[in-house]
Amino acid sequence: HIQDPASQRLTWNKPPKSVLVIKKIRDASLLQPFKELCVYLTEENNMIVYVEKKVLEDPAIANDENFGPVKKKFCTFREDYDDISNQIDFIICLGGDGTLLYASSLFQGSVPPVMAFHLGSLGFLTPFNFENFQSQVTQVIEGNAALVLRSRLKVKVVKEHREKTTVQNGIEENGVVSANLEKEVGKQIMQYEVLNEVVVDRGPSSYLSNVDVFLDGHLITTVQGDGVIVSTPTGSTAYAAAAGASMIHPNVPAIMITPICPHSLSFRPIVVPAGVELKIMLSPDARNTAWVSFDGRKRQEICHGDSISITTSCYPLPSICFRDPVSDWFESLAECLHWNVRKKQNNFAVEEEE
């Protein structure tokens, strides 16, 4: 039995009490919607509102005396310093698709339901219009909404941690002859939860990237080109679509592997089952290093001996739908990407019988 995607609904075990409001930074057009939303949440619904500290440092908000009483009720946090993962019931995003990606990065484990208003430039992942925000927020609080569970990627980066030593005439300070300027002193392990894609590229080098891709321990191909994109179905309409991949509905359990400008006419994008483990490493004969980024953030260099392991995370991002998962997705294809828009072909004119 295949579950109907439209049957996924938001249900609360108990009424939500706390909400995280994420606002796009340095966007003056969002100040008024942000203030109206916060007043509505605190005064009309008596909710605890969490806001990132740097949002309140905006002079237009800090110097607004009328907004002062509301601002005093806020709970603030700082990215990478404060852990709010167990204190938030649901999230409201104001801005473009980047605000949803940012919300995902704040929660490396379980993610609260996310309601996203499109006030940015694209709005593929942000289905709500802010004009009727009061009734829409009320419906979410009452649990009257559809959900789409957007799968994320669990990424583990293992780096060979090297320590540079002071060498004079090929001899270290302790008198031991040294063949290399670096010594391995252990491994550095970093983990990320990614909503859109992991991108491995050649960085500033003029050479092609040369990376090996393993699937469940087996070498499946070597990517020679500008790089490779490993994406979720949600990310299939982002960088992967621009690189020629198919667009996949977020309810499809899959991982996409898309080459970036491959130096091969037969290297086509592929889709593999969710749950497999991918591993990406520099090829032994690669001329240069590679660079990796996660949803466009945390960009870092990958050297020989380093590895990137990718699989489907057990913590998806619950995205609240405007209508339902299918209608929202096709509407986004039409509105944002103008999918299959063309001038219609004329029909044959019916000649009148003489």
Side-chain angles (χ1 to χ4, degrees):
H1 174 70
I2 299 176
Q3 182 183 7
D4 178 10
S7 67
Q8 295 174 176
R9 306 292 299 180
L10 171 65
T11 56
W12 300 108
N13 291 328
K14 55 183 179 180
K17 294 295 183 183
S18 59
V19 58
L20 167 61
V21 178
I22 296 177
K23 183 185 87 66
K24 185 179 178 182
I25 305 295
R26 296 185 297 275
D27 191 337
S29 66
L30 297 180
L31 291 173
Q32 191 58 35
F34 172 73
K35 293 175 182 178
E36 291 179 13
L37 175 64
C38 290
V39 169
Y40 177 74
L41 291 170
T42 55
E43 297 185 358
E44 299 291 332
N45 293 279
N46 295 317
M47 299 200 74
I48 302 170
V49 176
Y50 284 77
V51 178
E52 192 171 7
K53 193 172 183 179
K54 63 183 178 183
V55 170
L56 300 183
E57 292 171 354
D58 188 322
I61 295 177
N63 300 329
D64 189 342
E65 296 180 358
N66 295 329
F67 194 59
V70 177
K71 190 171 62 174
K72 289 179 180 178
K73 299 178 183 179
F74 289 161
C75 294
T76 60
F77 72 97
R78 295 169 299 168
E79 184 188 10
D80 296 331
Y81 285 94
D82 303 316
D83 182 14
I84 58 169
S85 56
N86 294 322
Q87 301 171 33
I88 306 299
D89 290 331
F90 74 104
I91 304 169
I92 297 179
C93 294
L94 301 177
D97 292 346
T99 57
L100 190 71
L101 296 174
Y102 179 65
S104 172
S105 71
L106 292 175
F107 295 85
Q108 294 299 296
S110 179
V111 189
V114 182
M115 182 183 193
F117 289 91
H118 59 261
L119 292 160
S121 55
L122 186 59
F124 197 96
L125 306 178
T126 51
F128 287 92
N129 193 320
F130 195 75
E131 291 179 2
N132 303 315
F133 78 92
Q134 294 98 333
S135 60
Q136 292 168 342
V137 171
T138 299
Q139 284 188 335
V140 170
I141 293 174
E142 293 174 351
N144 183 21
L147 272 184
V148 57
L149 296 177
R150 298 185 179 275
S151 65
R152 298 196 294 173
L153 298 175
K154 183 172 111 177
V155 187
K156 183 171 74 171
V157 180
V158 180
K159 288 189 174 183
E160 300 287 351
H161 190 62
R162 297 173 176 87
E163 184 180 78
K164 290 191 176 181
T165 59
T166 303
V167 177
Q168 295 179 346
N169 299 325
I171 300 177
E172 294 183 13
E173 292 178 340
N174 59 8
V176 178
V177 176
S178 174
N180 299 311
L181 294 177
E182 294 182 339
K183 293 192 305 183
E184 292 186 6
V185 293
K187 296 182 183 293
Q188 180 185 13
I189 300 176
M190 294 157 288
Q191 294 194 8
Y192 305 95
E193 294 281 333
V194 176
L195 179 61
N196 260 358
E197 75 268 305
V198 178
V199 177
V200 180
D201 61 69
R202 61 190 175 100
S205 172
S206 59
Y207 296 112
L208 295 176
S209 70
N210 197 341
V211 296
D212 293 335
V213 180
F214 300 83
L215 192 150
D216 287 341
H218 303 285
L219 177 66
I220 57 170
T221 193
T222 297
V223 179
Q224 295 183 90
D226 281 354
V228 64
I229 304 166
V230 178
S231 61
T232 64
T234 294
S236 71
T237 51
Y239 196 176
S246 296
M247 294 179 287
I248 300 179
H249 190 277
N251 276 110
V252 178
I255 297 175
M256 303 180 63
I257 304 172
T258 306
I260 307 171
C261 298
H263 201 243
S264 166
L265 296 177
S266 59
F267 194 170
R268 309 304 303 159
I270 60 172
V271 181
V272 297
V276 301
E277 183 174 7
L278 296 170
K279 191 173 185 179
I280 300 176
M281 300 182 70
L282 273 182
S283 297
D285 55 351
R287 293 183 176 183
N288 57 294
T289 62
W291 289 76
V292 62
S293 60
F294 315 93
D295 283 344
R297 309 179 82 219
K298 309 291 185 183
R299 186 169 169 81
Q300 54 198 269
E301 191 174 15
I302 299 297
C303 303
H304 284 93
D306 300 343
S307 66
I308 306 165
S309 298
I310 306 168
T311 189
T312 302
S313 170
C314 58
Y315 299 109
L317 183 142
S319 180
I320 299 172
C321 301
F322 180 67
R323 289 189 179 87
D324 61 77
V326 175
S327 300
D328 284 11
W329 193 69
F330 277 101
E331 189 168 324
S332 295
L333 287 181
E335 288 291 325
C336 300
L337 301 183
H338 300 293
W339 179 63
N340 198 28
V341 174
R342 72 179 293 271
K343 188 176 181 180
K344 286 189 176 182
Q345 188 178 41
N346 293 329
N347 62 347
F348 289 117
V350 180
E351 296 182 4
E352 295 182 3
E353 295 182 3
E354 294 183 359

